Amino acid sequence: MIDEVVNSILQAEDEAKRRVEQAEAKAAEIIAEAEAQAERLRKEAAASSKQYLQSELARADEQAEAKAAELLEERKAQADEEVRELRKNAEAATKIILESL
């Protein structure tokens, strides 16, 4: 009878060891999968950030080009106005000079 109890205890211990080993193996699998998933997410986030940066830089370039074109047109208009004013003044000066001769 004692032998049966001892054998039963030994079997229970063996079963417990087996379950612990299975649990440890399962935990290792879960950890490995979690680490792999974390690495995938890190790579996806890096790619997404890079793509976002590129699109924002492209948008900034477009805005800069539009602003530069706008400023260029304003400066051209100012230059044209100044040239007209200078011509007007030059014509008036020429007329005064010619009249004084």
Side-chain angles (χ1 to χ4, degrees):
M1 177 112 155
I2 292 179
D3 287 342
E4 290 176 13
V5 171
V6 169
N7 284 337
S8 179
I9 291 171
L10 292 174
Q11 286 176 353
E13 285 178 349
D14 288 343
E15 179 64 20
K17 285 179 186 177
R18 187 183 63 77
R19 288 185 181 183
V20 166
E21 288 172 356
Q22 285 178 340
E24 288 173 346
K26 184 66 174 175
E29 288 176 21
I30 291 170
I31 289 170
E33 178 58 32
E35 288 173 346
Q37 185 176 7
E39 182 64 19
R40 282 192 303 273
L41 290 174
R42 185 191 66 74
K43 287 181 180 179
E44 288 173 6
S48 176
S49 293
K50 184 177 180 181
Q51 183 179 19
Y52 176 75
L53 175 63
Q54 289 174 345
S55 69
E56 286 300 301
L57 288 174
R59 190 171 65 84
D61 285 344
E62 290 173 4
Q63 289 176 343
E65 287 177 15
K67 186 64 176 177
E70 180 183 322
L71 289 173
L72 180 61
E73 288 302 315
E74 288 176 14
R75 298 301 186 255
K76 280 182 180 179
Q78 288 175 349
D80 290 346
E81 181 61 33
E82 289 176 8
V83 166
R84 278 193 293 278
E85 192 64 32
L86 288 172
R87 281 191 182 142
K88 181 179 167 185
N89 291 340
E91 288 173 4
T94 303
K95 183 178 179 182
I96 292 170
I97 292 171
L98 289 176
E99 287 176 357
S100 67
L101 293 178

